[in-house]
Amino acid sequence: MAAAAASHRVFVYGTLMAEEVVRVLIGRSPSSSPAVLPNYQRFSIKRRVYPAILPVDGKEVSGKVFKGITDRELNVLDIFEDEEYVKRTVEISLTDTSEKLLAYAYIWGNQDDPDLYGEWDFEEWKRVHLEDYVKMTQEFMEELEQLEPKTET
């Protein structure tokens, strides 16, 4: 691992909390800590199996923060998260120590989306959708690898 490589923190709150999904996307399980994003709320999205978050005063979203994400890995996550999400820098708190950190998070772009409702349940998602989602993620990576010729750095 190159010491000069850029290192990013990414707060995840949905399907990327599943190690199986992240391993397919970036080929490893990055170091992470449980974290909370204050003044945001996680929603389910009609007809989709993944969640969205939007700013909502007084609410909070629990998830985890990945540390040591490289530029290449961040690029894969950006493409995976699609154009409906906007990557923003947010301030999170580590659950264990309450230490505050800045991290990237993928925020739902459409604040007034009528398809957002309720809360999204990670454990239920894992039980019902994880297996198919991992297959979809593998197909996504195969397509991505065909589009992007491997470059040695």
Side-chain angles (χ1 to χ4, degrees):
M1 218 160 93
S7 174
H8 307 280
R9 286 189 291 258
V10 180
F11 175 75
V12 298
Y13 55 85
T15 60
L16 293 178
M17 290 196 295
E19 195 175 306
E20 299 90 332
V21 173
V22 175
R23 211 176 267 287
V24 171
L25 288 171
I26 64 173
R28 68 187 183 98
S29 187
S31 101
S32 68
S33 303
V36 170
L37 174 59
N39 297 314
Y40 276 80
Q41 185 172 348
R42 177 173 33 217
F43 296 93
S44 291
I45 312 169
K46 282 182 193 156
R47 299 177 298 284
R48 312 214 192 179
V49 299
Y50 49 83
I53 60 171
L54 284 174
V56 177
D57 281 345
K59 298 284 188 178
E60 64 176 32
V61 174
S62 0
K64 58 187 180 181
V65 60
F66 291 141
K67 300 164 187 165
I69 298 294
T70 66
D71 285 344
R72 191 196 71 78
E73 291 168 340
L74 188 63
N75 187 46
V76 169
L77 297 178
D78 286 350
I79 297 166
F80 184 70
E81 288 297 346
D82 212 29
E83 66 273 357
E84 289 171 311
Y85 291 91
V86 180
K87 184 173 67 186
R88 291 210 185 108
T89 302
V90 294
E91 188 177 71
I92 56 167
S93 293
L94 296 183
T95 307
D96 305 341
T97 63
S98 299
E99 181 190 351
K100 290 184 173 15
L101 294 174
L102 293 178
Y104 288 123
Y106 296 96
I107 316 296
W108 195 245
N110 180 0
Q111 297 245 352
D112 304 312
D113 193 330
D115 287 343
L116 301 184
Y117 70 97
E119 173 59 272
W120 184 82
D121 185 320
F122 179 62
E123 293 306 323
E124 183 189 350
W125 172 83
K126 266 179 32 178
R127 202 170 52 247
V128 178
H129 298 291
L130 178 61
E131 200 175 319
D132 286 341
Y133 202 84
V134 167
K135 282 189 195 126
M136 181 277 294
T137 306
Q138 286 164 337
E139 288 162 12
F140 165 84
M141 283 311 290
E142 284 161 19
E143 285 175 29
L144 189 61
E145 280 157 14
Q146 286 165 3
L147 293 173
E148 294 188 345
K150 285 249 188 286
T151 52
E152 293 303 313
T153 50

